Amino acid sequence: MYNSKYKNGERYKWNTKKEEDMEEQKYIIKNVQSFEPKHIFECGQCFRWDKAEDGSYIGIVKNNVLSVKKEGKDIIFKGMCEENIKQICTYYFDLDRNYEQIKQTLSKVDHYLENSILYGSGIRILNQDLWETIISFIISANNNIPRIKGIIQKLSQAYGNKIEWDGKTYYTFPTVKELSKASVQDLRSLGLGFRDKYVYETTRKILNEEINLNKMHEQIDTEKLRKTLLTLPGVGPKVADCILLFSTLKRFDVFPIDVWVRRVMNDLYIKKEDETKVNKKEIESLAKQKYGNLEGIAQQYLFYWKRDLA
DNA sequence: GCGCAGGGGGTCG
DNA sequence: CGACCCCCTGCG
């Protein structure tokens, strides 16, 4: 009985996922609409997906490593999974949501949005873990995407759990408890820069349950949720809106305004000479007025379109 | 090639 | 409204 739990008679390190918990799985959906990996992973909502040489994307979702590839009209999901891959993917990729209908509705707004929807027709907004999304977008502040991805990778490597798959090593995003082991200095040495104390203090607040993430999911009112998020160090209006939109909180009635969105809204509608002088309130009310309670999704089409062309 | 500014998914005081 | 860590990028 000296057994399968141990590989070559050697005990796994404490932070390695036990092999018997993990299983290689596969799930295929045929004839998909509104699902394009490039659009989904490169529209700026996530930081833990990378393109592989064969054109597939590989990412970490909770304690699972997933690979996603589009072949013709089919999507092939493979993974080293702890949970059932179909359930993971259905929830994470929000597969039960009818994007055809959403796109139809938004396309009627005007030709600008219609064109951006044609450009990013395969965008879907993910259900990302709330905790991971909070930390990731705190790190995103005044930062660029390659560096954000690097920092998150380093955090995971230092404090998350190891998963081996197909000869490669992956790391889960650390839990609240796991990340709470990092001191401000530890975080600084991983390259977080001035965000170190934000991540540290936010982690503490959540660890102490000054903010209860489970309870946040019970809150219906988006404004109340935003106010709660804004109490976290490092979370300002833009980051709060990203968390509301890209996490399992799943609010479409928000409109995160970054430099790209401000640019596109100014170019299309406001047309001020100096886009940096465009009032945020003006953009917010314009978005609400034009896109209604789907403004968050509209934001993603516009962002992806404008950003990709830049 | 290297070295050096410039700026980046904002937030805070 | 200016400072802020640090890395990546682009130019000379």
Side-chain angles (χ1 to χ4, degrees), chain A residues 4 6 8 33 36 43 86 88 94 115 124 133 140 152 162 165 186 208 222 278 299 306:
Chain A
S4 58
Y6 305 94
N8 306 326
Q33 292 181 303
E36 187 59 53
C43 71
K86 180 178 175 181
I88 302 164
D94 210 12
N115 285 333
R124 306 185 74 85
T133 308
S140 80
I152 295 171
K162 193 187 280 193
W165 184 37
D186 291 334
N208 301 340
T222 301
V278 178
Q299 190 266 16
K306 190 67 183 177

Side-chain angles (χ1 to χ4, degrees), chain A residues 73-218:
Chain A
K73 290 190 154 192
D74 302 339
I75 302 289
I76 297 157
F77 300 99
K78 288 188 220 166
M80 182 56 81
C81 300
E82 183 179 72
E83 305 156 83
N84 177 281
I85 193 169
K86 180 178 175 181
Q87 284 175 19
I88 302 164
C89 292
T90 303
Y91 185 55
Y92 184 75
F93 291 99
D94 210 12
L95 295 178
D96 289 334
R97 194 176 305 275
N98 188 343
Y99 269 84
E100 293 306 305
Q101 192 174 355
I102 290 169
K103 291 192 290 185
Q104 206 172 28
T105 304
L106 285 175
S107 291
K108 289 178 192 152
V109 173
D110 58 34
H111 288 298
Y112 300 131
L113 192 56
E114 186 182 11
N115 285 333
S116 74
I117 288 170
L118 290 173
Y119 193 81
S121 61
I123 288 176
R124 306 185 74 85
I125 305 204
L126 300 167
N127 275 308
Q128 300 184 85
D129 178 75
L130 176 56
W131 155 249
E132 176 174 343
T133 308
I134 290 171
I135 298 301
S136 298
F137 278 90
I138 287 175
I139 292 167
S140 80
N142 190 227
N143 211 341
N144 51 55
I145 290 170
R147 189 175 160 220
I148 299 164
K149 289 179 80 169
I151 291 171
I152 295 171
Q153 167 63 21
K154 280 188 248 178
L155 274 184
S156 303
Q157 198 162 336
Y159 298 99
N161 297 314
K162 193 187 280 193
I163 300 175
E164 309 273 4
W165 184 37
D166 204 19
K168 286 183 185 142
T169 307
Y170 303 89
Y171 297 90
T172 61
F173 190 84
T175 62
V176 181
K177 206 173 168 184
E178 285 164 350
L179 194 57
S180 72
K181 297 192 176 89
S183 68
V184 177
Q185 285 204 342
D186 291 334
L187 294 169
R188 179 60 65 103
S189 71
L190 289 179
L192 274 83
F194 61 83
R195 305 160 199 82
D196 53 3
K197 54 187 182 298
Y198 300 153
V199 168
Y200 179 82
E201 282 162 19
T202 288
T203 301
R204 285 193 84 77
K205 275 198 158 181
I206 294 172
L207 186 74
N208 301 340
E209 293 192 0
E210 282 173 60
I211 302 288
N212 186 317
L213 298 188
N214 292 328
K215 283 215 175 111
M216 290 193 77
H217 285 99
E218 294 164 17

Side-chain angles (χ1 to χ4, degrees), chain A residues 243-283:
Chain A
I243 295 166
L244 287 164
L245 180 58
F246 300 139
S247 76
T248 49
L249 294 175
K250 236 329 129 288
R251 301 307 155 115
F252 295 150
D253 55 337
V254 298
F255 199 75
I257 299 170
D258 59 39
V259 288
W260 295 100
V261 172
R262 189 172 57 197
R263 194 166 295 161
V264 69
M265 293 299 277
N266 186 51
D267 288 355
L268 296 184
Y269 305 114
I270 304 170
K271 300 180 190 297
K272 276 199 179 161
E273 213 165 299
D274 185 355
E275 69 186 32
T276 62
K277 290 191 178 142
V278 178
N279 192 311
K280 266 189 74 168
K281 291 275 176 212
E282 188 178 356
I283 297 177

Side-chain angles (χ1 to χ4, degrees), chain A residues 21 29-30 33 45 48 68 81 134 174 181 197 249 288 294 303:
Chain A
D21 295 338
I29 41 177
K30 302 239 170 221
Q33 292 181 303
Q45 61 180 324
R48 299 217 70 201
V68 179
C81 300
I134 290 171
K181 297 192 176 89
K197 54 187 182 298
L249 294 175
K288 186 71 79 185
L294 291 175
F303 176 90

